Amino acid sequence: MDEFESLSHSKWECKYHVVFIPKYRRKVLYGELRKHLGEIFRKLAEQRESRVEEGHLMPDHVHMMLSIPPKYAVSQVVGYMKGKSAIHLARVYGEKKKGFTGQHFWARGYFVSTVGRDEETIREYIRNQEKEDHRLEQLNRWR
């Protein structure tokens, strides 16, 4: 965790908590898609010299902790991952699913926050996100 990555003239540790959603927040990430998206995101991150440190696919959104070298903008890497994953999903699953919007799978925006020294807290948050959402749903039923 405290080891730094290096480029030719710099040492770095740039980690980001990223969240993004499918268009219209459709709950389509379960089933077949969920099984493959994690591996797709990992491969796409590697193509930008980045790494998925932690990740969790919720029914209607994605949480990831990404390690991105300072030579890339966060928007470049996230945009690349969203775009290429949408194209892949359209090719593999597009003909099978009715109403599948293909290359317009992800909504335009995303949330990003730097991780800093709270890395373990963020990792724990990502791991337990599904449990927390379920707990909040249960609380809201009593209101």
mmCIF file with all atom_site columns, all heavy atoms in Angstrom, residues 31-37 40 85-98 100-102 105:
data_model
loop_
_atom_site.group_PDB
_atom_site.id
_atom_site.type_symbol
_atom_site.label_atom_id
_atom_site.label_alt_id
_atom_site.label_comp_id
_atom_site.label_asym_id
_atom_site.label_entity_id
_atom_site.label_seq_id
_atom_site.pdbx_PDB_ins_code
_atom_site.Cartn_x
_atom_site.Cartn_y
_atom_site.Cartn_z
_atom_site.occupancy
_atom_site.B_iso_or_equiv
_atom_site.pdbx_formal_charge
_atom_site.auth_seq_id
_atom_site.auth_comp_id
_atom_site.auth_asym_id
_atom_site.auth_atom_id
_atom_site.pdbx_PDB_model_num
ATOM 1   N N   . GLY A 1 31  ? -26.661 -10.890 -13.586 1.00 0.00 ? 31  GLY A N   1
ATOM 2   C CA  . GLY A 1 31  ? -26.766 -11.939 -14.592 1.00 0.00 ? 31  GLY A CA  1
ATOM 3   C C   . GLY A 1 31  ? -25.493 -12.074 -15.397 1.00 0.00 ? 31  GLY A C   1
ATOM 4   O O   . GLY A 1 31  ? -24.386 -11.973 -14.873 1.00 0.00 ? 31  GLY A O   1
ATOM 5   N N   . GLU A 1 32  ? -25.666 -12.280 -16.690 1.00 0.00 ? 32  GLU A N   1
ATOM 6   C CA  . GLU A 1 32  ? -24.533 -12.516 -17.573 1.00 0.00 ? 32  GLU A CA  1
ATOM 7   C C   . GLU A 1 32  ? -23.542 -11.361 -17.579 1.00 0.00 ? 32  GLU A C   1
ATOM 8   O O   . GLU A 1 32  ? -22.336 -11.570 -17.579 1.00 0.00 ? 32  GLU A O   1
ATOM 9   C CB  . GLU A 1 32  ? -25.023 -12.739 -19.003 1.00 0.00 ? 32  GLU A CB  1
ATOM 10  C CG  . GLU A 1 32  ? -25.708 -14.067 -19.239 1.00 0.00 ? 32  GLU A CG  1
ATOM 11  C CD  . GLU A 1 32  ? -26.088 -14.227 -20.692 1.00 0.00 ? 32  GLU A CD  1
ATOM 12  O OE1 . GLU A 1 32  ? -25.173 -14.227 -21.533 1.00 0.00 ? 32  GLU A OE1 1
ATOM 13  O OE2 . GLU A 1 32  ? -27.287 -14.331 -20.963 1.00 0.00 ? 32  GLU A OE2 1
ATOM 14  N N   . LEU A 1 33  ? -24.042 -10.137 -17.607 1.00 0.00 ? 33  LEU A N   1
ATOM 15  C CA  . LEU A 1 33  ? -23.152 -8.975  -17.699 1.00 0.00 ? 33  LEU A CA  1
ATOM 16  C C   . LEU A 1 33  ? -22.211 -8.887  -16.509 1.00 0.00 ? 33  LEU A C   1
ATOM 17  O O   . LEU A 1 33  ? -21.017 -8.622  -16.658 1.00 0.00 ? 33  LEU A O   1
ATOM 18  C CB  . LEU A 1 33  ? -23.966 -7.680  -17.790 1.00 0.00 ? 33  LEU A CB  1
ATOM 19  C CG  . LEU A 1 33  ? -24.867 -7.490  -18.990 1.00 0.00 ? 33  LEU A CG  1
ATOM 20  C CD1 . LEU A 1 33  ? -25.529 -6.133  -18.920 1.00 0.00 ? 33  LEU A CD1 1
ATOM 21  C CD2 . LEU A 1 33  ? -24.099 -7.647  -20.272 1.00 0.00 ? 33  LEU A CD2 1
ATOM 22  N N   . ARG A 1 34  ? -22.742 -9.106  -15.326 1.00 0.00 ? 34  ARG A N   1
ATOM 23  C CA  . ARG A 1 34  ? -21.957 -8.942  -14.106 1.00 0.00 ? 34  ARG A CA  1
ATOM 24  C C   . ARG A 1 34  ? -20.762 -9.892  -14.070 1.00 0.00 ? 34  ARG A C   1
ATOM 25  O O   . ARG A 1 34  ? -19.695 -9.546  -13.590 1.00 0.00 ? 34  ARG A O   1
ATOM 26  C CB  . ARG A 1 34  ? -22.849 -9.134  -12.892 1.00 0.00 ? 34  ARG A CB  1
ATOM 27  C CG  . ARG A 1 34  ? -22.150 -8.785  -11.610 1.00 0.00 ? 34  ARG A CG  1
ATOM 28  C CD  . ARG A 1 34  ? -23.092 -8.825  -10.443 1.00 0.00 ? 34  ARG A CD  1
ATOM 29  N NE  . ARG A 1 34  ? -22.394 -8.354  -9.256  1.00 0.00 ? 34  ARG A NE  1
ATOM 30  C CZ  . ARG A 1 34  ? -22.910 -8.340  -8.077  1.00 0.00 ? 34  ARG A CZ  1
ATOM 31  N NH1 . ARG A 1 34  ? -24.136 -8.742  -7.894  1.00 0.00 ? 34  ARG A NH1 1
ATOM 32  N NH2 . ARG A 1 34  ? -22.219 -7.910  -7.051  1.00 0.00 ? 34  ARG A NH2 1
ATOM 33  N N   . LYS A 1 35  ? -20.953 -11.090 -14.590 1.00 0.00 ? 35  LYS A N   1
ATOM 34  C CA  . LYS A 1 35  ? -19.884 -12.084 -14.574 1.00 0.00 ? 35  LYS A CA  1
ATOM 35  C C   . LYS A 1 35  ? -18.665 -11.618 -15.360 1.00 0.00 ? 35  LYS A C   1
ATOM 36  O O   . LYS A 1 35  ? -17.541 -11.947 -15.015 1.00 0.00 ? 35  LYS A O   1
ATOM 37  C CB  . LYS A 1 35  ? -20.381 -13.405 -15.170 1.00 0.00 ? 35  LYS A CB  1
ATOM 38  C CG  . LYS A 1 35  ? -21.457 -14.086 -14.368 1.00 0.00 ? 35  LYS A CG  1
ATOM 39  C CD  . LYS A 1 35  ? -21.964 -15.300 -15.124 1.00 0.00 ? 35  LYS A CD  1
ATOM 40  C CE  . LYS A 1 35  ? -23.260 -15.803 -14.526 1.00 0.00 ? 35  LYS A CE  1
ATOM 41  N NZ  . LYS A 1 35  ? -23.902 -16.812 -15.348 1.00 0.00 ? 35  LYS A NZ  1
ATOM 42  N N   . HIS A 1 36  ? -18.887 -10.864 -16.424 1.00 0.00 ? 36  HIS A N   1
ATOM 43  C CA  . HIS A 1 36  ? -17.806 -10.518 -17.344 1.00 0.00 ? 36  HIS A CA  1
ATOM 44  C C   . HIS A 1 36  ? -17.268 -9.103  -17.186 1.00 0.00 ? 36  HIS A C   1
ATOM 45  O O   . HIS A 1 36  ? -16.133 -8.837  -17.585 1.00 0.00 ? 36  HIS A O   1
ATOM 46  C CB  . HIS A 1 36  ? -18.269 -10.722 -18.780 1.00 0.00 ? 36  HIS A CB  1
ATOM 47  C CG  . HIS A 1 36  ? -18.743 -12.120 -19.037 1.00 0.00 ? 36  HIS A CG  1
ATOM 48  N ND1 . HIS A 1 36  ? -17.898 -13.202 -19.064 1.00 0.00 ? 36  HIS A ND1 1
ATOM 49  C CD2 . HIS A 1 36  ? -19.983 -12.614 -19.241 1.00 0.00 ? 36  HIS A CD2 1
ATOM 50  C CE1 . HIS A 1 36  ? -18.591 -14.304 -19.286 1.00 0.00 ? 36  HIS A CE1 1
ATOM 51  N NE2 . HIS A 1 36  ? -19.858 -13.981 -19.388 1.00 0.00 ? 36  HIS A NE2 1
ATOM 52  N N   . LEU A 1 37  ? -18.052 -8.211  -16.634 1.00 0.00 ? 37  LEU A N   1
ATOM 53  C CA  . LEU A 1 37  ? -17.630 -6.809  -16.571 1.00 0.00 ? 37  LEU A CA  1
ATOM 54  C C   . LEU A 1 37  ? -16.362 -6.584  -15.756 1.00 0.00 ? 37  LEU A C   1
ATOM 55  O O   . LEU A 1 37  ? -15.526 -5.771  -16.125 1.00 0.00 ? 37  LEU A O   1
ATOM 56  C CB  . LEU A 1 37  ? -18.760 -5.929  -16.012 1.00 0.00 ? 37  LEU A CB  1
ATOM 57  C CG  . LEU A 1 37  ? -19.706 -5.370  -17.054 1.00 0.00 ? 37  LEU A CG  1
ATOM 58  C CD1 . LEU A 1 37  ? -20.858 -4.631  -16.378 1.00 0.00 ? 37  LEU A CD1 1
ATOM 59  C CD2 . LEU A 1 37  ? -19.008 -4.466  -18.031 1.00 0.00 ? 37  LEU A CD2 1
ATOM 60  N N   . ILE A 1 40  ? -13.418 -7.383  -17.894 1.00 0.00 ? 40  ILE A N   1
ATOM 61  C CA  . ILE A 1 40  ? -13.332 -6.389  -18.972 1.00 0.00 ? 40  ILE A CA  1
ATOM 62  C C   . ILE A 1 40  ? -12.719 -5.097  -18.439 1.00 0.00 ? 40  ILE A C   1
ATOM 63  O O   . ILE A 1 40  ? -11.808 -4.531  -19.055 1.00 0.00 ? 40  ILE A O   1
ATOM 64  C CB  . ILE A 1 40  ? -14.739 -6.124  -19.569 1.00 0.00 ? 40  ILE A CB  1
ATOM 65  C CG1 . ILE A 1 40  ? -15.232 -7.356  -20.318 1.00 0.00 ? 40  ILE A CG1 1
ATOM 66  C CG2 . ILE A 1 40  ? -14.718 -4.912  -20.484 1.00 0.00 ? 40  ILE A CG2 1
ATOM 67  C CD1 . ILE A 1 40  ? -16.697 -7.317  -20.672 1.00 0.00 ? 40  ILE A CD1 1
ATOM 68  N N   . SER A 1 85  ? -15.981 -0.676  -22.936 1.00 0.00 ? 85  SER A N   1
ATOM 69  C CA  . SER A 1 85  ? -16.822 -1.720  -22.330 1.00 0.00 ? 85  SER A CA  1
ATOM 70  C C   . SER A 1 85  ? -18.213 -1.706  -22.960 1.00 0.00 ? 85  SER A C   1
ATOM 71  O O   . SER A 1 85  ? -18.809 -2.758  -23.173 1.00 0.00 ? 85  SER A O   1
ATOM 72  C CB  . SER A 1 85  ? -16.905 -1.559  -20.810 1.00 0.00 ? 85  SER A CB  1
ATOM 73  O OG  . SER A 1 85  ? -17.554 -0.362  -20.447 1.00 0.00 ? 85  SER A OG  1
ATOM 74  N N   . ALA A 1 86  ? -18.736 -0.525  -23.281 1.00 0.00 ? 86  ALA A N   1
ATOM 75  C CA  . ALA A 1 86  ? -20.053 -0.431  -23.924 1.00 0.00 ? 86  ALA A CA  1
ATOM 76  C C   . ALA A 1 86  ? -20.023 -1.072  -25.308 1.00 0.00 ? 86  ALA A C   1
ATOM 77  O O   . ALA A 1 86  ? -20.948 -1.789  -25.694 1.00 0.00 ? 86  ALA A O   1
ATOM 78  C CB  . ALA A 1 86  ? -20.496 1.024   -24.024 1.00 0.00 ? 86  ALA A CB  1
ATOM 79  N N   . ILE A 1 87  ? -18.949 -0.841  -26.054 1.00 0.00 ? 87  ILE A N   1
ATOM 80  C CA  . ILE A 1 87  ? -18.815 -1.445  -27.385 1.00 0.00 ? 87  ILE A CA  1
ATOM 81  C C   . ILE A 1 87  ? -18.744 -2.964  -27.258 1.00 0.00 ? 87  ILE A C   1
ATOM 82  O O   . ILE A 1 87  ? -19.402 -3.699  -28.002 1.00 0.00 ? 87  ILE A O   1
ATOM 83  C CB  . ILE A 1 87  ? -17.577 -0.882  -28.108 1.00 0.00 ? 87  ILE A CB  1
ATOM 84  C CG1 . ILE A 1 87  ? -17.820 0.585   -28.469 1.00 0.00 ? 87  ILE A CG1 1
ATOM 85  C CG2 . ILE A 1 87  ? -17.245 -1.708  -29.349 1.00 0.00 ? 87  ILE A CG2 1
ATOM 86  C CD1 . ILE A 1 87  ? -16.589 1.326   -28.939 1.00 0.00 ? 87  ILE A CD1 1
ATOM 87  N N   . HIS A 1 88  ? -17.958 -3.437  -26.289 1.00 0.00 ? 88  HIS A N   1
ATOM 88  C CA  . HIS A 1 88  ? -17.848 -4.885  -26.072 1.00 0.00 ? 88  HIS A CA  1
ATOM 89  C C   . HIS A 1 88  ? -19.202 -5.488  -25.703 1.00 0.00 ? 88  HIS A C   1
ATOM 90  O O   . HIS A 1 88  ? -19.593 -6.533  -26.245 1.00 0.00 ? 88  HIS A O   1
ATOM 91  C CB  . HIS A 1 88  ? -16.824 -5.175  -24.965 1.00 0.00 ? 88  HIS A CB  1
ATOM 92  C CG  . HIS A 1 88  ? -16.735 -6.618  -24.605 1.00 0.00 ? 88  HIS A CG  1
ATOM 93  N ND1 . HIS A 1 88  ? -16.056 -7.523  -25.371 1.00 0.00 ? 88  HIS A ND1 1
ATOM 94  C CD2 . HIS A 1 88  ? -17.279 -7.316  -23.581 1.00 0.00 ? 88  HIS A CD2 1
ATOM 95  C CE1 . HIS A 1 88  ? -16.173 -8.730  -24.835 1.00 0.00 ? 88  HIS A CE1 1
ATOM 96  N NE2 . HIS A 1 88  ? -16.903 -8.633  -23.739 1.00 0.00 ? 88  HIS A NE2 1
ATOM 97  N N   . LEU A 1 89  ? -19.920 -4.841  -24.791 1.00 0.00 ? 89  LEU A N   1
ATOM 98  C CA  . LEU A 1 89  ? -21.231 -5.348  -24.380 1.00 0.00 ? 89  LEU A CA  1
ATOM 99  C C   . LEU A 1 89  ? -22.205 -5.367  -25.557 1.00 0.00 ? 89  LEU A C   1
ATOM 100 O O   . LEU A 1 89  ? -23.000 -6.305  -25.699 1.00 0.00 ? 89  LEU A O   1
ATOM 101 C CB  . LEU A 1 89  ? -21.794 -4.509  -23.241 1.00 0.00 ? 89  LEU A CB  1
ATOM 102 C CG  . LEU A 1 89  ? -21.060 -4.631  -21.905 1.00 0.00 ? 89  LEU A CG  1
ATOM 103 C CD1 . LEU A 1 89  ? -21.594 -3.603  -20.916 1.00 0.00 ? 89  LEU A CD1 1
ATOM 104 C CD2 . LEU A 1 89  ? -21.178 -6.034  -21.344 1.00 0.00 ? 89  LEU A CD2 1
ATOM 105 N N   . ALA A 1 90  ? -22.138 -4.347  -26.415 1.00 0.00 ? 90  ALA A N   1
ATOM 106 C CA  . ALA A 1 90  ? -23.025 -4.294  -27.574 1.00 0.00 ? 90  ALA A CA  1
ATOM 107 C C   . ALA A 1 90  ? -22.730 -5.443  -28.528 1.00 0.00 ? 90  ALA A C   1
ATOM 108 O O   . ALA A 1 90  ? -23.642 -6.073  -29.066 1.00 0.00 ? 90  ALA A O   1
ATOM 109 C CB  . ALA A 1 90  ? -22.864 -2.957  -28.294 1.00 0.00 ? 90  ALA A CB  1
ATOM 110 N N   . ARG A 1 91  ? -21.445 -5.743  -28.725 1.00 0.00 ? 91  ARG A N   1
ATOM 111 C CA  . ARG A 1 91  ? -21.077 -6.834  -29.634 1.00 0.00 ? 91  ARG A CA  1
ATOM 112 C C   . ARG A 1 91  ? -21.466 -8.195  -29.084 1.00 0.00 ? 91  ARG A C   1
ATOM 113 O O   . ARG A 1 91  ? -21.945 -9.061  -29.804 1.00 0.00 ? 91  ARG A O   1
ATOM 114 C CB  . ARG A 1 91  ? -19.573 -6.809  -29.889 1.00 0.00 ? 91  ARG A CB  1
ATOM 115 C CG  . ARG A 1 91  ? -19.149 -5.693  -30.792 1.00 0.00 ? 91  ARG A CG  1
ATOM 116 C CD  . ARG A 1 91  ? -17.675 -5.765  -31.070 1.00 0.00 ? 91  ARG A CD  1
ATOM 117 N NE  . ARG A 1 91  ? -17.276 -4.642  -31.908 1.00 0.00 ? 91  ARG A NE  1
ATOM 118 C CZ  . ARG A 1 91  ? -16.071 -4.115  -31.902 1.00 0.00 ? 91  ARG A CZ  1
ATOM 119 N NH1 . ARG A 1 91  ? -15.132 -4.607  -31.124 1.00 0.00 ? 91  ARG A NH1 1
ATOM 120 N NH2 . ARG A 1 91  ? -15.794 -3.103  -32.682 1.00 0.00 ? 91  ARG A NH2 1
ATOM 121 N N   . VAL A 1 92  ? -21.229 -8.402  -27.793 1.00 0.00 ? 92  VAL A N   1
ATOM 122 C CA  . VAL A 1 92  ? -21.453 -9.718  -27.208 1.00 0.00 ? 92  VAL A CA  1
ATOM 123 C C   . VAL A 1 92  ? -22.916 -9.949  -26.838 1.00 0.00 ? 92  VAL A C   1
ATOM 124 O O   . VAL A 1 92  ? -23.462 -11.021 -27.083 1.00 0.00 ? 92  VAL A O   1
ATOM 125 C CB  . VAL A 1 92  ? -20.547 -9.914  -25.966 1.00 0.00 ? 92  VAL A CB  1
ATOM 126 C CG1 . VAL A 1 92  ? -20.846 -11.228 -25.269 1.00 0.00 ? 92  VAL A CG1 1
ATOM 127 C CG2 . VAL A 1 92  ? -19.088 -9.856  -26.373 1.00 0.00 ? 92  VAL A CG2 1
ATOM 128 N N   . TYR A 1 93  ? -23.569 -8.944  -26.241 1.00 0.00 ? 93  TYR A N   1
ATOM 129 C CA  . TYR A 1 93  ? -24.913 -9.140  -25.711 1.00 0.00 ? 93  TYR A CA  1
ATOM 130 C C   . TYR A 1 93  ? -26.003 -8.379  -26.461 1.00 0.00 ? 93  TYR A C   1
ATOM 131 O O   . TYR A 1 93  ? -27.171 -8.584  -26.210 1.00 0.00 ? 93  TYR A O   1
ATOM 132 C CB  . TYR A 1 93  ? -24.965 -8.706  -24.236 1.00 0.00 ? 93  TYR A CB  1
ATOM 133 C CG  . TYR A 1 93  ? -24.036 -9.508  -23.372 1.00 0.00 ? 93  TYR A CG  1
ATOM 134 C CD1 . TYR A 1 93  ? -22.818 -8.974  -22.940 1.00 0.00 ? 93  TYR A CD1 1
ATOM 135 C CD2 . TYR A 1 93  ? -24.352 -10.801 -22.995 1.00 0.00 ? 93  TYR A CD2 1
ATOM 136 C CE1 . TYR A 1 93  ? -21.958 -9.716  -22.169 1.00 0.00 ? 93  TYR A CE1 1
ATOM 137 C CE2 . TYR A 1 93  ? -23.499 -11.553 -22.224 1.00 0.00 ? 93  TYR A CE2 1
ATOM 138 C CZ  . TYR A 1 93  ? -22.306 -11.005 -21.811 1.00 0.00 ? 93  TYR A CZ  1
ATOM 139 O OH  . TYR A 1 93  ? -21.454 -11.737 -21.052 1.00 0.00 ? 93  TYR A OH  1
ATOM 140 N N   . GLY A 1 94  ? -25.627 -7.498  -27.355 1.00 0.00 ? 94  GLY A N   1
ATOM 141 C CA  . GLY A 1 94  ? -26.591 -6.609  -28.007 1.00 0.00 ? 94  GLY A CA  1
ATOM 142 C C   . GLY A 1 94  ? -27.707 -7.315  -28.738 1.00 0.00 ? 94  GLY A C   1
ATOM 143 O O   . GLY A 1 94  ? -28.852 -6.898  -28.681 1.00 0.00 ? 94  GLY A O   1
ATOM 144 N N   . GLU A 1 95  ? -27.369 -8.398  -29.442 1.00 0.00 ? 95  GLU A N   1
ATOM 145 C CA  . GLU A 1 95  ? -28.406 -9.087  -30.208 1.00 0.00 ? 95  GLU A CA  1
ATOM 146 C C   . GLU A 1 95  ? -29.307 -9.934  -29.328 1.00 0.00 ? 95  GLU A C   1
ATOM 147 O O   . GLU A 1 95  ? -30.413 -10.255 -29.697 1.00 0.00 ? 95  GLU A O   1
ATOM 148 C CB  . GLU A 1 95  ? -27.746 -9.964  -31.270 1.00 0.00 ? 95  GLU A CB  1
ATOM 149 C CG  . GLU A 1 95  ? -27.090 -9.151  -32.361 1.00 0.00 ? 95  GLU A CG  1
ATOM 150 C CD  . GLU A 1 95  ? -25.706 -9.670  -32.701 1.00 0.00 ? 95  GLU A CD  1
ATOM 151 O OE1 . GLU A 1 95  ? -25.433 -10.850 -32.444 1.00 0.00 ? 95  GLU A OE1 1
ATOM 152 O OE2 . GLU A 1 95  ? -24.915 -8.871  -33.225 1.00 0.00 ? 95  GLU A OE2 1
ATOM 153 N N   . LYS A 1 96  ? -28.821 -10.293 -28.145 1.00 0.00 ? 96  LYS A N   1
ATOM 154 C CA  . LYS A 1 96  ? -29.579 -11.184 -27.265 1.00 0.00 ? 96  LYS A CA  1
ATOM 155 C C   . LYS A 1 96  ? -30.626 -10.453 -26.444 1.00 0.00 ? 96  LYS A C   1
ATOM 156 O O   . LYS A 1 96  ? -31.613 -11.026 -26.042 1.00 0.00 ? 96  LYS A O   1
ATOM 157 C CB  . LYS A 1 96  ? -28.633 -11.901 -26.295 1.00 0.00 ? 96  LYS A CB  1
ATOM 158 C CG  . LYS A 1 96  ? -27.628 -12.792 -26.983 1.00 0.00 ? 96  LYS A CG  1
ATOM 159 C CD  . LYS A 1 96  ? -26.700 -13.397 -25.958 1.00 0.00 ? 96  LYS A CD  1
ATOM 160 C CE  . LYS A 1 96  ? -25.599 -14.190 -26.630 1.00 0.00 ? 96  LYS A CE  1
ATOM 161 N NZ  . LYS A 1 96  ? -24.644 -14.717 -25.668 1.00 0.00 ? 96  LYS A NZ  1
ATOM 162 N N   . LYS A 1 97  ? -30.396 -9.199  -26.144 1.00 0.00 ? 97  LYS A N   1
ATOM 163 C CA  . LYS A 1 97  ? -31.263 -8.476  -25.221 1.00 0.00 ? 97  LYS A CA  1
ATOM 164 C C   . LYS A 1 97  ? -32.103 -7.437  -25.957 1.00 0.00 ? 97  LYS A C   1
ATOM 165 O O   . LYS A 1 97  ? -31.585 -6.598  -26.671 1.00 0.00 ? 97  LYS A O   1
ATOM 166 C CB  . LYS A 1 97  ? -30.420 -7.775  -24.148 1.00 0.00 ? 97  LYS A CB  1
ATOM 167 C CG  . LYS A 1 97  ? -29.571 -8.722  -23.356 1.00 0.00 ? 97  LYS A CG  1
ATOM 168 C CD  . LYS A 1 97  ? -29.638 -8.359  -21.914 1.00 0.00 ? 97  LYS A CD  1
ATOM 169 C CE  . LYS A 1 97  ? -28.743 -9.221  -21.101 1.00 0.00 ? 97  LYS A CE  1
ATOM 170 N NZ  . LYS A 1 97  ? -29.353 -10.403 -20.590 1.00 0.00 ? 97  LYS A NZ  1
ATOM 171 N N   . LYS A 1 98  ? -33.384 -7.470  -25.724 1.00 0.00 ? 98  LYS A N   1
ATOM 172 C CA  . LYS A 1 98  ? -34.279 -6.486  -26.305 1.00 0.00 ? 98  LYS A CA  1
ATOM 173 C C   . LYS A 1 98  ? -34.130 -5.170  -25.534 1.00 0.00 ? 98  LYS A C   1
ATOM 174 O O   . LYS A 1 98  ? -34.026 -5.166  -24.320 1.00 0.00 ? 98  LYS A O   1
ATOM 175 C CB  . LYS A 1 98  ? -35.713 -6.985  -26.204 1.00 0.00 ? 98  LYS A CB  1
ATOM 176 C CG  . LYS A 1 98  ? -36.653 -6.323  -27.150 1.00 0.00 ? 98  LYS A CG  1
ATOM 177 C CD  . LYS A 1 98  ? -37.990 -7.016  -27.137 1.00 0.00 ? 98  LYS A CD  1
ATOM 178 C CE  . LYS A 1 98  ? -38.824 -6.441  -28.257 1.00 0.00 ? 98  LYS A CE  1
ATOM 179 N NZ  . LYS A 1 98  ? -40.101 -7.082  -28.350 1.00 0.00 ? 98  LYS A NZ  1
ATOM 180 N N   . PHE A 1 100 ? -31.576 -3.225  -25.601 1.00 0.00 ? 100 PHE A N   1
ATOM 181 C CA  . PHE A 1 100 ? -30.171 -2.983  -25.254 1.00 0.00 ? 100 PHE A CA  1
ATOM 182 C C   . PHE A 1 100 ? -29.670 -1.841  -26.114 1.00 0.00 ? 100 PHE A C   1
ATOM 183 O O   . PHE A 1 100 ? -29.748 -1.888  -27.336 1.00 0.00 ? 100 PHE A O   1
ATOM 184 C CB  . PHE A 1 100 ? -29.368 -4.253  -25.533 1.00 0.00 ? 100 PHE A CB  1
ATOM 185 C CG  . PHE A 1 100 ? -28.000 -4.238  -24.926 1.00 0.00 ? 100 PHE A CG  1
ATOM 186 C CD1 . PHE A 1 100 ? -27.817 -4.617  -23.611 1.00 0.00 ? 100 PHE A CD1 1
ATOM 187 C CD2 . PHE A 1 100 ? -26.905 -3.855  -25.670 1.00 0.00 ? 100 PHE A CD2 1
ATOM 188 C CE1 . PHE A 1 100 ? -26.559 -4.622  -23.043 1.00 0.00 ? 100 PHE A CE1 1
ATOM 189 C CE2 . PHE A 1 100 ? -25.646 -3.852  -25.114 1.00 0.00 ? 100 PHE A CE2 1
ATOM 190 C CZ  . PHE A 1 100 ? -25.474 -4.239  -23.797 1.00 0.00 ? 100 PHE A CZ  1
ATOM 191 N N   . THR A 1 101 ? -29.154 -0.770  -25.497 1.00 0.00 ? 101 THR A N   1
ATOM 192 C CA  . THR A 1 101 ? -28.791 0.427   -26.250 1.00 0.00 ? 101 THR A CA  1
ATOM 193 C C   . THR A 1 101 ? -27.349 0.423   -26.742 1.00 0.00 ? 101 THR A C   1
ATOM 194 O O   . THR A 1 101 ? -26.875 1.406   -27.270 1.00 0.00 ? 101 THR A O   1
ATOM 195 C CB  . THR A 1 101 ? -29.027 1.693   -25.399 1.00 0.00 ? 101 THR A CB  1
ATOM 196 O OG1 . THR A 1 101 ? -28.287 1.567   -24.198 1.00 0.00 ? 101 THR A OG1 1
ATOM 197 C CG2 . THR A 1 101 ? -30.486 1.884   -25.129 1.00 0.00 ? 101 THR A CG2 1
ATOM 198 N N   . GLY A 1 102 ? -26.625 -0.675  -26.560 1.00 0.00 ? 102 GLY A N   1
ATOM 199 C CA  . GLY A 1 102 ? -25.299 -0.811  -27.137 1.00 0.00 ? 102 GLY A CA  1
ATOM 200 C C   . GLY A 1 102 ? -24.315 0.229   -26.679 1.00 0.00 ? 102 GLY A C   1
ATOM 201 O O   . GLY A 1 102 ? -24.008 0.330   -25.508 1.00 0.00 ? 102 GLY A O   1
ATOM 202 N N   . PHE A 1 105 ? -24.632 2.523   -23.498 1.00 0.00 ? 105 PHE A N   1
ATOM 203 C CA  . PHE A 1 105 ? -24.955 1.741   -22.304 1.00 0.00 ? 105 PHE A CA  1
ATOM 204 C C   . PHE A 1 105 ? -24.782 2.544   -21.025 1.00 0.00 ? 105 PHE A C   1
ATOM 205 O O   . PHE A 1 105 ? -25.613 2.507   -20.144 1.00 0.00 ? 105 PHE A O   1
ATOM 206 C CB  . PHE A 1 105 ? -24.063 0.493   -22.271 1.00 0.00 ? 105 PHE A CB  1
ATOM 207 C CG  . PHE A 1 105 ? -24.386 -0.431  -21.132 1.00 0.00 ? 105 PHE A CG  1
ATOM 208 C CD1 . PHE A 1 105 ? -25.460 -1.293  -21.221 1.00 0.00 ? 105 PHE A CD1 1
ATOM 209 C CD2 . PHE A 1 105 ? -23.625 -0.439  -19.985 1.00 0.00 ? 105 PHE A CD2 1
ATOM 210 C CE1 . PHE A 1 105 ? -25.770 -2.152  -20.179 1.00 0.00 ? 105 PHE A CE1 1
ATOM 211 C CE2 . PHE A 1 105 ? -23.916 -1.290  -18.936 1.00 0.00 ? 105 PHE A CE2 1
ATOM 212 C CZ  . PHE A 1 105 ? -24.996 -2.143  -19.044 1.00 0.00 ? 105 PHE A CZ  1
#
